[in-house]
Amino acid sequence: MRFRWRTISFCSTVAVIAVVGPLTWITATRAQSTAFTIQYNFSKNELSTGTVVARRSDGSRSESFIRTDPTGKQYNQRIVWDAGRRARIVLDAITESVTTYPLWASQIAALRRLTSDCGLGANAESSTILGEKVFEKVTPSPLPDRRRLEEWVAPRLGCLALRERTLVPQSSGGDTVLSWKEAVFLTCKDPDPALFQVPAWPERRPSE
């Protein structure tokens, strides 16, 4: 009897499938996601839209977003935390310049450590977004500001929020949503290297 094995990887699960003739067995094991790419959509009143968050398996991280200037022109801004170069690199497409900040050893260790301690309450509600298990986390603003931040965080993605809303209660009852963002794409593999590339732009001092 010949076995045929197939492995399918998801963000939080690795499924091993054994096919024996007409029979199929499926076993699943949970696995922490060390590399991923997430794309978000934002509410229309946000200045920055189209955010993409990416993490490499070495802990390096990239965040890119579209920034619209007062004339309506759009620029692709990006920040790269490069564990190998020990640097945080800010790429400003508006001025076409690069600003580099050093990363301390503690900051690099934090990048490489994918925490799953999200500070959740004992009875936090759970849900699923794009196949990833998430938990609700609510953070109220200090008084007298009555706003609160509602996040659905993914422990296996370092507690990143796959959905978040800023809410303010109304005297008549209910809440008004001031802003929101939600993940619309998620893949758990090494991201596109272009997200970490630094163009040959002039270097600016951090004080400039």
Side-chain angles (χ1 to χ4, degrees):
M1 184 178 296
R2 177 174 297 179
F3 285 80
R4 289 182 291 128
W5 297 95
R6 298 176 185 174
T7 301
I8 302 176
S9 297
F10 302 92
C11 283
S12 58
T13 304
V14 176
V16 180
I17 303 175
V19 181
V20 188
L23 301 179
T24 301
W25 287 272
I26 300 177
T27 62
T29 59
R30 300 178 69 83
Q32 189 177 56
S33 303
T34 59
F36 52 78
T37 302
I38 308 171
Q39 182 177 348
Y40 292 91
N41 274 353
F42 281 72
S43 50
K44 293 183 179 179
N45 60 336
E46 295 290 318
L47 293 177
S48 301
T49 59
T51 293
V52 175
V53 177
R55 185 183 191 275
R56 293 193 310 215
S57 55
D58 69 346
S60 296
R61 177 169 167 164
S62 168
E63 292 189 16
S64 60
F65 52 91
I66 304 298
R67 175 62 59 87
T68 303
D69 71 7
T71 68
K73 188 174 180 179
Q74 293 186 329
Y75 297 88
N76 188 359
Q77 306 286 81
R78 187 153 42 96
I79 303 175
V80 176
W81 291 261
D82 194 318
R85 295 178 59 178
R86 297 176 173 265
R88 176 170 67 92
I89 307 161
V90 179
L91 308 175
D92 188 348
I94 298 177
T95 61
E96 294 192 348
S97 62
V98 177
T99 306
T100 303
Y101 302 84
L103 288 177
W104 305 112
S106 59
Q107 294 173 306
I108 296 171
L111 280 176
R112 290 175 172 163
R113 182 178 64 253
L114 197 63
T115 181
S116 58
D117 181 7
C118 306
L120 301 171
N123 300 314
E125 292 188 30
S126 63
S127 184
T128 302
I129 298 176
L130 299 176
E132 187 69 20
K133 190 169 186 178
V134 294
F135 295 87
E136 185 182 33
K137 181 179 180 180
V138 179
T139 306
S141 297
L143 294 175
D145 192 340
R146 299 184 302 157
R147 289 181 296 179
R148 69 183 188 277
L149 177 63
E150 176 190 277
E151 301 174 284
W152 290 88
V153 298
R156 293 186 177 275
L157 301 178
C159 296
L160 282 177
L162 297 187
R163 178 188 297 144
E164 75 177 43
R165 300 190 302 170
T166 301
L167 306 168
V168 60
Q170 299 301 302
S171 57
S172 58
D175 295 311
T176 294
V177 179
L178 297 182
S179 62
W180 59 267
K181 76 173 184 179
E182 182 163 357
V184 295
F185 173 81
L186 168 62
T187 183
C188 289
K189 60 182 181 180
D190 273 322
D192 185 348
L195 295 171
F196 295 84
Q197 289 178 353
V198 178
W201 290 342
E203 181 80 26
R204 295 177 62 185
R205 296 179 181 178
S207 59
E208 292 181 333

